[in-house]
Amino acid sequence: MNFKTIDDIDVTSKRVFLRVDFNVPLTKTAPYTITDDTRIKAALPTIEALRKRGARIILASHLGRPKGGPAPEFSLAPVCQRLEELLGATIEFASDCVGDEAMQKAMALKDGEILLLENLRFHKEEEANDPEFSKQLASLAEVYVDDAFGAAHRAHASIEGITHYLNVKAAGYLMKKELDYLGAAVTNPRRPFIAIIGGAKISGKIDVINNLLQKADAVLIGGGMAYTFYKAEGLEIGKSLCEDDKLGVAKDIILQAMVKGGATGRSPLQLPTDTVIADAFTNDANKKTVSVKEILPDWMGMDIGPDTISMFDNLILNAQTIVWNGPMGVFEMPNFAEGTMAIARAMAEASGRGATTIVGGGDSVAAVEQSGLADKMSHISTGGGASLEFLEGKTLPGVKALSI
Ligand code: 3PG
């Protein structure tokens, strides 16, 4: 898809509506403070570049999923404060994203100044992609820039609707970087191309597994979802996680992968061969490593085992492109984190050998942060749902809206 970036447009002395994804986690109780500012930092290159070029920046974002109007626990005010610290500049704040205050503050901006609008989702029209609301947002600015890759899978007013009312539109640097990395992986990967898919449930990942089975040289499965595959193969899985209503889907995926393997007889779908099981869902439960054919009736699978780790390591270290989404086990419990940490280590080593390593999805990003190896990855996506939908092969509404 063809789109302009901020380098291709004139922004000097222009009011630029900059859609960002400042959907950051806040503490549950007042005073609401930011517990992870990664997404704010990720937008800084675009903000800095626009400032340097004399743009008058109007920042807009959603935060959380407020229902029924303004609520302090979803306010972007803490983001304003953090942004001021990060930029070392004063930032104006408008207590509503549309209306007189927003308009006056937008019009009063001078070159290089910044205004942050309050949470877009305080108006239900944002998620409804309401044309009138889109028009009101557009009326604040002359130019539209989208740097909110994390929200690009949402056809909302500030992402899709607004682009019908502003002629000049472009992607920010973060949006471009995400699309470059993820796009190259799914359209033109350096091979071997390996996808590692984990997480608790198969249900949210069926489309991504199916799409990647067609594109990748191998799809490595770990995490809770693996047990639904085992059950579909007729194995005993004890009390392990299982989505019984997805057994048919799991069977289909296994079959499809065998078809893809064709005459070679080598299915690109790689399921774990051994697993760490526990007699309770706690960190200090009794644990054993067993073959996946020997899971005990009252026990549950909590992590991939050492044989699987070495099989996966081998595939990762021989790959040129690796995409990882979803942990291999219950990595929040230290006794069951080894599989996930081993993947992080292998990915880091693969990066060192010149491979492109991409991590997407909330839990795997948290795991990579926990491993201390985040800076060794080629790219860590800021989009959970967005990166997943991209890897499913879908056209994201936010990307389509930027196309020229
Ligand atoms: C995210 O956190 O994945 C994005 O900010 C989108 O948020 P949403 O799922 O609430 O639309």
Side-chain angles (χ1 to χ4, degrees), residues 21 23 39 62 64-65 121 127 150-151 153-154 156 382-386:
D21 185 356
N23 184 20
R39 279 180 163 171
H62 70 287
R65 294 175 175 172
R121 288 190 184 170
E127 287 172 81
H153 57 319
R154 306 293 185 210
H156 293 173
T382 51

Side-chain angles (χ1 to χ4, degrees), residues 99-163:
D100 291 346
E101 185 198 356
M103 184 58 84
Q104 274 160 22
K105 287 186 170 169
M107 290 302 182
L109 285 171
K110 299 199 180 68
D111 293 0
E113 289 185 348
I114 304 173
L115 165 67
L116 173 65
L117 305 175
E118 183 54 289
N119 195 342
L120 294 155
R121 288 190 184 170
F122 285 170
H123 292 264
K124 61 180 183 336
E125 293 82 357
E126 161 66 0
E127 287 172 81
N129 200 9
D130 179 83
E132 194 47 45
F133 182 71
S134 305
K135 214 188 271 183
Q136 283 182 53
L137 293 174
S139 70
L140 298 172
E142 296 147 288
V143 169
Y144 176 73
V145 174
D146 190 357
D147 214 18
F149 175 76
H153 57 319
R154 306 293 185 210
H156 293 173
S158 63
I159 296 164
E160 202 280 332
I162 190 170
T163 61

Side-chain angles (χ1 to χ4, degrees), residues 192-196 316 319-324 347 350 355-359:
F193 168 30
I194 302 291
I196 309 162
I316 292 168
Q320 288 298 320
T321 306
I322 307 136
V323 172
W324 179 22
M347 295 263 295
T356 303
T357 50
I358 302 170
V359 185

Side-chain angles (χ1 to χ4, degrees), residues 362-377:
D363 279 347
S364 26
V365 174
V368 170
E369 299 287 351
Q370 188 176 310
S371 74
L373 296 166
D375 63 339
K376 300 278 188 291
M377 305 299 156

